[in-house]
């Protein structure tokens, strides 16, 4: 799991920190979504550290991270606690 302290660095998600905490513990679908997002962010960071030949992977991870972030925001906006 992405440490929740790092959520503050993800501006679109920071305002949902309390909901993220609850859903991560109580909602398996959200937990899977969040873990996938976290993994994509880790892979993106690693990819940025590699050579230019691997730029394609970075773009793919960025797209995945962006798509998952949008899905998380949609999920959070549709979930009421």
């Amino acid at each position: 799991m992405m440490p929740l302290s790092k959520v503050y660095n993800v501006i679109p998600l920071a305002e949902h920190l309390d909901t993220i905490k609850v859903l991560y513990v109580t909602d398996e679908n959200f937990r899977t979504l969040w873990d996938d997002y976290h993994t994509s962010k880790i892979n993106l960071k690693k990819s940025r550290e590699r050579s230019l030949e691997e730029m394609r992977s970075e773009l793919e991870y960025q797209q995945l991270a962006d798509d998952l972030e949008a899905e998380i925001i949609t999920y959070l906006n549709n979930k009421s606690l």
Side-chain angles (χ1 to χ4, degrees), residues 20-49:
I20 289 170
K21 287 178 182 179
V22 171
L23 289 176
Y24 190 84
V25 172
T26 62
D27 188 317
E28 184 176 340
N29 291 327
F30 180 79
R31 184 172 37 258
T32 299
L33 180 62
W34 184 263
D35 288 343
D36 288 347
Y37 174 69
H38 180 236
T39 300
S40 73
K41 293 299 253 186
I42 289 172
N43 289 333
L44 178 60
K45 182 179 180 189
K46 288 178 184 177
S47 179
R48 286 182 174 154
E49 296 169 354

Side-chain angles (χ1 to χ4, degrees), residues 16 19-20 22-24 26-30 71-81:
H16 299 286
T19 303
I20 289 170
V22 171
L23 289 176
Y24 190 84
T26 62
D27 188 317
E28 184 176 340
N29 291 327
F30 180 79
E71 190 173 342
I72 288 170
I73 290 170
T74 299
Y75 195 100
L76 293 169
N77 287 335
N78 292 327
K79 204 70 165 169
S80 58
L81 297 178

